[in-house]
Amino acid sequence: MKLTGAEIIIECLKEQGVKEVFGYPGGAALNIYDALYKHQNEIKHYLTSHEQHASHAADGYARASGKVGVVFTTSGPGATNIVTGIATAYMDSVPVVAITGQVPTNLLGKDSFQEVDITGITMPITKHNFIVKDVNVLADTIRRAFEIAQSGRPGPVLVDVCKDVTAQYAEYERKEPKKIRKKVFATQEEIEKAIELINSSQRPFICSGGGVISSEASEELIQFAEKINAPVATTLMGVGGFPSTHPNYTGLVGMHGSRASNYAVSHCDLLIAIGARFSDRVISKVDRFAPNAKIIHIDIDPAEIDKNVSTDIALIGDVKQILKILVENVQKKTNTDWIEMIYEWKKNYPLSYPQDGKLHPQYVVERISALTNNDAIITTEVGQNQIWAAQFYKYQRPRQFISSGGLGTMGYGFGAAIGAKIARPDKVVIDIAGDGSFRMNCGELATAVHYNIPVIVALLNNGVLGMVRQWQDLFYGKRFSQTTLDRPPDFVKLADAYGALGIRVTSPDEVDGAILKALEAGRPTVIDFVIDKDEKALPIVPPGAPIDEIID
């Protein structure tokens, strides 16, 4: 049958099982939105207050569900406003498809109104992107975008569609989506060498990254760790991939890693990195990272192998499939002395904070964890709030911790929380935020209230740009340049102005009541936890120092 390009876009989304999209309309996308209007009972569109947060919502939706998140925008500034969201998804390997309107083909390259080369701009931060100038290739382009976003190492794909293409007619025939196959590229010889290294190791240590979550390999990781009796640390992106209550869990690794994790890296004889990319925040001083260890690196992306750290054996392929092979073939270990050393470090160097009767952010996160039975989906902004949320909430499963790791995008968490709640309406969703980040995205309160999306913002309000101030305190001689936020708004009044519930907490004995009130409210809520401006996210490894030289 013949359909317009706009109708073809909608039909292709339906093929892919898309039920929700996020976006903001404009002139070049009007035909798409007109077609969407006719299918509003099949695909629900969420209109955000800003395009950037539409892209973050699509990202949070994808992370919480494991599906592809979809964002619509118009051309020009509408398209450029999602660049930060696309880069966030790219750095953290999140499958998002962005569909942008573009000026008509006869106006391309003429500095037309709201024209920008969005494919050129996003080329470095997408897995692939397309500009569609021919309606006859539109359907296959949309299908290809979804396939690319999900295959191999996931990531964002952008499809830019000229306005005249969305109005033209072409033949459309429904097709079933291609199945995404999970592949192992490692050779039998490489796998056997890895098994030999694991079997001969006396002090194995596992560093689990976001790839474990992307490949749905959490159960296989638990089986593998238990069989070789190895301690497990996670990168920030790997939080939730291994239960934080498991006795073998040692916490974060790297700049804000626990002493147990960082000491284990420094003393192990075999480091097994699984779905992790050895970022600078993990390895710090390269020549002092895992100095006594052979390194096995398991990853879907061959470009990550030997990029930051030289490895002894690389197993390239889907993490889940490779772990299944290893679990079946490695020998069961006891490693009694090694595990006892790990337990001793955990006992002697626990994460802690002052017990002085004051309101501390770590206590707030602990109480959120307890009062949600460790079962909520937690999104974060970026900064100290992000580290406290990763350290003090007891995560039990993958896709429970949602945060901008690679790009470190302030303003990410609230949009992501909205997307996550739409993806998982059965779960409590809480954005653990800093006041600096919340100033960037608080306009999305209008979105949450309008669609009655009962997300909770737990605002750790220290009146400063906390992480930057912390670095100024520790490394810049206490020269606090432009990090004090001595200005409005009153966040409780702001919540009320948007029609949300606002609660202020200034002492520890108010914490539980405020959290329970927010959980029972069934509506968007902002809890303003007023904390001291000099709270620190600790431990921390000074930049460039070995990861076992820790300030805590």
Side-chain angles (χ1 to χ4, degrees):
M1 58 180 168
K2 282 202 168 187
L3 299 176
T4 66
E7 291 168 335
I8 288 171
I9 290 172
I10 301 303
E11 291 299 328
C12 286
L13 294 183
K14 288 162 60 178
E15 284 179 8
Q16 299 292 331
V18 174
K19 302 293 184 184
E20 295 93 4
V21 299
F22 306 87
Y24 207 99
L30 275 175
N31 292 328
I32 300 172
Y33 273 85
D34 191 52
L36 182 64
Y37 181 86
K38 301 168 187 175
H39 295 269
Q40 58 188 293
N41 293 329
E42 298 164 281
I43 298 177
K44 184 166 183 177
H45 180 281
Y46 290 86
L47 175 65
T48 57
S49 298
H50 192 286
E51 291 96 344
Q52 179 177 333
H53 303 128
S55 62
H56 293 329
D59 176 304
Y61 180 96
R63 297 196 206 207
S65 67
K67 301 175 183 178
V68 178
V70 180
V71 58
F72 284 174
T73 73
T74 190
S75 63
T80 59
N81 277 346
I82 64 169
V83 168
T84 298
I86 292 171
T88 301
Y90 181 75
M91 290 289 283
D92 290 347
S93 304
V94 181
V96 170
V97 170
I99 298 175
T100 54
Q102 182 56 277
V103 300
T105 52
N106 67 320
L107 295 180
L108 285 172
K110 298 182 178 180
D111 294 330
S112 305
F113 177 68
Q114 291 192 334
E115 180 192 2
V116 72
D117 179 9
I118 194 61
T119 54
I121 289 170
T122 59
M123 189 175 292
I125 55 167
T126 51
K127 280 190 74 177
H128 197 74
N129 63 27
F130 304 87
I131 181 168
V132 182
K133 304 176 188 178
D134 179 357
V135 69
N136 295 296
V137 302
L138 178 58
D140 285 341
T141 302
I142 298 292
R143 293 167 184 144
R144 182 76 177 125
F146 275 83
E147 182 184 356
I148 292 171
Q150 299 172 87
S151 61
R153 180 178 182 170
V157 178
L158 181 137
V159 182
D160 195 34
V161 188
C162 292
K163 186 173 182 179
D164 53 327
V165 171
T166 64
Q168 293 164 359
Y169 282 84
E171 284 292 333
Y172 165 80
E173 182 181 348
R174 179 180 172 82
K175 293 183 180 180
E176 289 298 313
K178 287 186 179 180
K179 288 187 177 180
I180 307 299
R181 294 182 179 178
K182 306 292 187 179
K183 298 180 181 179
V184 173
F185 300 98
T187 65
Q188 184 64 32
E189 182 182 2
E190 289 168 335
I191 291 171
E192 288 175 358
K193 285 182 178 179
I195 291 169
E196 183 180 341
L197 267 185
I198 294 166
N199 288 342
S200 62
S201 168
Q202 299 299 309
R203 300 186 305 278
F205 183 69
I206 296 171
C207 176
S208 173
V212 170
I213 296 170
S214 295
S215 67
E216 308 288 352
S218 182
E219 285 301 318
E220 287 77 10
L221 173 61
I222 294 169
Q223 293 169 17
F224 178 60
E226 290 178 346
K227 188 166 185 180
I228 67 171
N229 202 23
V232 180
T234 64
T235 66
L236 190 71
M237 292 307 305
V239 169
F242 193 81
S244 61
T245 51
H246 194 287
N248 285 29
Y249 184 62
T250 60
L252 291 177
V253 63
M255 176 174 281
H256 290 285
S258 68
R259 281 189 180 266
S261 294
N262 288 5
Y263 284 178
V265 171
S266 301
H267 290 80
C268 68
D269 65 2
L270 177 64
L271 175 62
I272 307 167
I274 307 175
R277 60 188 179 86
F278 289 119
S279 79
D280 58 300
R281 288 296 175 99
V282 168
I283 62 177
S284 197
K285 188 173 178 63
V286 179
D287 60 2
R288 293 278 298 276
F289 182 78
N292 306 306
K294 298 285 188 181
I295 297 178
I296 298 172
H297 192 178
I298 305 171
D299 205 281
I300 189 66
D301 187 356
E304 291 298 338
I305 305 302
D306 295 330
K307 186 174 79 174
N308 296 324
V309 170
S310 296
T311 57
D312 295 278
I313 296 176
L315 301 180
I316 299 171
D318 178 67
V319 164
K320 187 181 185 77
Q321 304 306 318
I322 291 175
L323 282 178
K324 283 181 177 180
I325 295 170
L326 295 180
V327 168
E328 290 175 3
N329 291 280
V330 296
Q331 296 171 1
K332 187 172 178 61
K333 287 179 174 289
T334 54
N335 306 324
T336 304
D337 292 344
W338 175 233
I339 287 296
E340 286 182 357
M341 185 183 295
I342 296 294
Y343 288 167
E344 194 70 14
W345 284 331
K346 288 174 66 176
K347 177 183 175 182
N348 292 338
Y349 306 111
L351 293 174
S352 61
Y353 55 92
Q355 304 296 313
D356 54 9
K358 296 180 180 178
L359 180 59
H360 293 286
Q362 301 92 335
Y363 175 74
V364 171
V365 177
E366 283 183 339
R367 296 311 300 158
I368 290 173
S369 186
L371 294 172
T372 57
N373 298 314
N374 308 325
D375 190 50
I377 292 174
I378 302 297
T379 71
T380 80
E381 305 299 336
V382 168
Q384 292 175 317
N385 61 87
Q386 180 182 38
I387 303 305
W388 291 322
Q391 291 173 328
F392 288 93
Y393 196 99
K394 291 181 169 52
Y395 300 95
Q396 303 302 306
R397 64 178 190 281
R399 305 194 182 282
Q400 195 180 356
F401 176 77
I402 295 175
S403 188
S404 172
L407 195 65
T409 305
M410 289 182 69
Y412 167 81
F414 193 23
I418 289 171
K421 183 63 177 177
I422 290 166
R424 294 298 307 271
D426 57 319
K427 295 296 182 184
V428 172
V429 177
I430 300 175
D431 174 26
I432 295 180
D435 49 313
S437 287
F438 191 55
R439 290 168 190 272
M440 296 184 177
N441 61 25
C442 59
E444 296 308 325
L445 282 168
T447 308
V449 169
H450 175 75
Y451 294 105
N452 193 27
I453 305 168
V455 294
I456 298 169
V457 178
L459 186 61
L460 305 178
N461 182 3
N462 53 11
V464 294
L465 299 176
M467 187 63 86
V468 188
R469 180 184 173 89
Q470 176 172 322
W471 277 52
Q472 289 172 335
D473 187 359
L474 296 175
F475 311 126
Y476 287 84
K478 300 185 186 297
R479 294 183 293 277
F480 300 121
S481 176
Q482 301 303 313
T483 49
T484 301
L485 302 176
D486 50 353
R487 62 203 70 186
D490 179 318
F491 290 106
V492 173
K493 291 181 178 178
L494 181 71
D496 182 64
Y498 276 106
L501 175 63
I503 307 169
R504 180 167 290 115
V505 173
T506 58
S507 66
D509 58 4
E510 299 171 338
V511 170
D512 281 19
I515 296 169
L516 289 171
K517 185 176 181 179
L519 291 171
E520 294 165 1
R523 56 189 283 214
T525 301
V526 177
I527 312 176
D528 183 14
F529 294 101
V530 181
I531 63 173
D532 188 83
K533 64 181 181 297
D534 285 314
E535 289 281 0
K536 298 288 192 296
L538 299 172
I540 184 172
V541 175
I547 65 169
D548 58 352
E549 293 184 8
I550 300 166
I551 299 171
D552 58 6

